[in-house]
Every structure is written in structure tokens, then in C-alpha cells.
Amino acid sequence: MTDSRFQSVHLEGLPRRDEFRAARDRLEEACGQYTLLGDLAELPPDDPGDGLTATINPGALQAHTYWLQDGDHVHPLAVGVNSVGRLPDNQVVLRDEHVSRRHCAIVVHRDGRCEVHDVASKNGTLVNGKKIACPTALKPGDTLLLCTRKLTFLAGPTDLKPAA
């Protein structure tokens, strides 16, 4: 993955770095080229990406807006990989010393599916109170717990803009 956020240079020690790299590989595999590119306009006409176009309703693409609610703050999520952690180059920056620098990633697929991946965080990621051990599908209303930080995953039509 060429994404600089997932190069593991922020980790000290081989065991954590190896765990992070394994999580990064699972994340990349789950995305597929179709979702990583983010925009169909970037794909050549004869290349559907990862072959999902036969099962996708084109009218459903970009039909929803996804975001994380963090108390009074809203974090919009884009198609592709949305990294969550305390480092400032994450899409969702949580200023909380208990949250890992790269805690988890939320993947929003072009077909509307969403999932969360723990990327070898120190304290794990919980979805609806259960610690996740593998990529976990998200649906609107699910709660994510990162240490003591509670986030709510929400979705709405594209014409509905979340209040910032």
C-alpha cells in the first residue's frame, strides 16, 4: 500500500511493527483496487477495478454520506480508507492520549458497504461493546469504543449534511 499513513515508521519494536504490517495487509486486501481508487472516473473504461461492478447498483454509488459522531464533533468519512488515531495526518484525529497513533481504519466501499479494521492498536477497538479481532461490518448507529473514546457511526442521504 502506498498510503504513507500505513508505513509503520511510527512504531517502535518488531512485534508491534509486524502486527501493524499484518493488519495493513488485511486492510489492503479488503479494499480492492475498486475502493482504493475511490472514484470511478479514475478507472480506465475497460477496467472495473476488483470486479464488483456486476453486483453494484450504479444508482447506489455515493448515495449516502457517512460520518463519525464524537460528542458534538462530526468527522466526515470518504470513500476509501479513513484512518482514525491521534496523529495529525489521520482523517479522523482524536486528541486523546489513550488512543493509538494509528488506532483503526474505516473503509467506505464504493458500493456503500462499510467496515472497521483495528490496525494493531495497543488497546483494541470495540464495536457495540465487543472487541474486534478481524474486519467488522458497520451499520448506522453502531458505536465504536477506542479506549474510553466513544464514537457513533452514522449515515444519511448525500443531500443530508451532518452538522459540524
Side-chain angles (χ1 to χ4, degrees), residues 100 103 118 120-126 131-132 145-147:
S100 294
H103 200 100
D118 185 85
S121 65
K122 255 188 180 171
N123 297 306
T125 301
L126 283 77
K131 191 170 184 175
I132 64 171
L145 192 62
L146 285 59
C147 299

Side-chain angles (χ1 to χ4, degrees), residues 45-101:
D46 60 337
D47 181 4
D50 61 3
L52 292 176
T53 53
T55 61
I56 294 174
N57 173 2
L61 295 177
Q62 296 290 341
H64 284 83
T65 300
Y66 300 95
W67 66 94
L68 289 177
Q69 185 79 40
D70 179 16
D72 293 334
H73 194 74
V74 171
H75 302 279
L77 301 172
V79 171
V81 178
N82 298 272
S83 59
V84 180
R86 67 174 200 265
L87 285 177
D89 63 341
N90 288 299
Q91 274 74 25
V92 178
V93 178
L94 302 174
R95 301 195 187 288
D96 185 323
E97 62 189 23
H98 298 105
V99 172
S100 294
R101 291 174 275 192

Side-chain angles (χ1 to χ4, degrees), residues 138-162:
L138 289 174
K139 60 186 183 309
D142 283 349
T143 58
L144 293 125
L145 192 62
L146 285 59
C147 299
T148 58
R149 196 66 167 266
K150 182 180 175 184
L151 307 168
T152 305
F153 176 75
L154 298 170
T158 53
D159 57 351
L160 175 68
K161 302 235 191 267

